[in-house]
């Protein structure tokens, strides 16, 4: 039985074949395959590692423009691999809107599971500026202005986000008084400002 050559590796003509090491490149390919298999072995063993404590649960928006910035921010805070992450369009508003009640239920379930499995100590809620979900869910505010105008008025935008962040923060404190709450607002340049829990 003859096997085809693949990627420069000749398996020979026997059942198990005999590897020919024609070049350093072939040797390196074989070594890389072996290293990859060794790295995958713990994953295929089927034994789950015990869950440990993490510092926080982070709620953020799904906006693709800021995913890397969010990761960098959490890394700078010393939280690399030490937080659970829930992503909902609009972040705080995504939890609170009546238009997506299941999202709020999912968030509360995630908080409960994160407490149970990872013993989180706080919830970090990170909204961001120029949020499309705010335009979708808040088509008009009580004054009758389009929510889409928020990005043009940073002061008003901060006030609207602050209202939603504080409402969710209060809800977390009511349901889970043992958890700390951080309210954060990210700009499109990745900078983050803390929002006080109360005025």
């Amino acid at each position: 039985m003859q096997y085809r050559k693949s990627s420069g590796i000749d398996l020979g003509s026997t059942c198990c074949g005999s590897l020919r090491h024609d070049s350093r490149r072939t040797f390196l390919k074989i070594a890389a395959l072996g290293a990859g298999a060794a790295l995958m072995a713990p994953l295929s063993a089927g034994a789950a590692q015990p869950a440990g404590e993490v510092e926080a649960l982070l709620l953020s928006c799904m906006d693709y423009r800021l995913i890397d910035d969010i990761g960098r921010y959490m890394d700078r805070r010393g939280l690399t691999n030490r937080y659970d992450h829930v992503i909902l369009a609009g972040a705080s508003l995504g939890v609170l809107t009546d238009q997506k009640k299941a999202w709020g239920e999912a968030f509360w379930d995630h908080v409960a599971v994160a407490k149970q499995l990872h013993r989180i100590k706080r919830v970090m809620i990170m909204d961001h500026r120029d949020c499309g979900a705010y335009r979708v869910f808040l088509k008009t505010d009580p004054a009758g202005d389009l929510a889409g105008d928020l990005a043009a008025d940073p002061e008003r935008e901060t006030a609207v986000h602050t209202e939603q962040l504080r409402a969710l923060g209060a809800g977390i404190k009511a349901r889970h008084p043992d958890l700390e709450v951080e309210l954060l607002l990210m700009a499109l340049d990745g900078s983050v400002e803390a929002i006080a829990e109360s005025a």
Side-chain angles (χ1 to χ4, degrees):
M1 174 188 275
Q2 189 70 23
Y3 291 94
R4 286 183 177 166
K5 289 183 181 182
S6 173
S7 302
I9 300 173
D10 182 0
L11 297 177
S13 60
T14 64
C15 171
C16 297
S18 60
L19 295 176
R20 293 184 333 165
H21 301 286
D22 291 292
S23 68
R24 183 172 172 213
R25 180 176 293 149
T26 301
F27 173 76
L28 291 174
K29 286 179 183 177
I30 295 167
L33 288 171
L39 287 172
M40 295 300 290
L43 296 176
S44 61
Q49 297 299 315
E53 290 187 20
V54 298
E55 182 66 26
L57 179 141
L58 169 67
L59 169 67
S60 71
C61 185
M62 68 178 197
D63 195 312
Y64 65 92
R65 298 173 294 176
L66 297 171
I67 297 298
D68 292 340
D69 293 302
I70 291 168
R72 282 189 288 271
Y73 174 79
M74 297 302 279
D75 291 347
R76 283 193 305 269
R77 294 278 307 265
L79 294 170
T80 305
N81 298 326
R82 295 183 58 222
Y83 67 97
D84 293 321
H85 196 173
V86 176
I87 299 175
L88 293 174
S92 64
L93 182 59
V95 175
L96 297 173
T97 182
D98 288 336
Q99 298 174 49
K100 300 290 182 185
K101 288 186 183 283
W103 292 10
E105 293 170 14
F107 171 76
W108 294 116
D109 288 345
H110 277 81
V111 172
V113 170
K115 281 181 70 174
Q116 181 182 356
L117 288 180
H118 301 149
R119 298 179 288 283
I120 60 168
K121 298 167 186 65
R122 68 184 140 137
V123 176
M124 302 168 72
I125 311 163
M126 182 182 288
D127 277 13
H128 71 87
R129 295 187 180 279
D130 191 31
C131 183
Y134 270 67
R135 286 191 292 276
V136 170
F137 297 138
L138 297 179
K139 292 180 178 68
T140 58
D141 67 15
D145 299 324
L146 289 177
D149 296 335
L150 288 176
D153 184 350
E155 189 173 309
R156 182 168 164 262
E157 182 180 41
T158 299
V160 172
H161 279 281
T162 296
E163 180 182 353
Q164 298 299 317
L165 286 162
R166 286 180 178 162
L168 182 53
I172 292 167
K173 285 302 217 179
R175 291 181 187 220
H176 301 281
D178 56 317
L179 292 178
E180 296 174 30
V181 176
E182 270 189 68
L183 309 177
L184 305 165
L185 183 59
M186 179 175 271
L188 294 183
D189 66 2
S191 60
V192 177
E193 61 185 289
I195 303 294
E197 285 189 52
S198 58

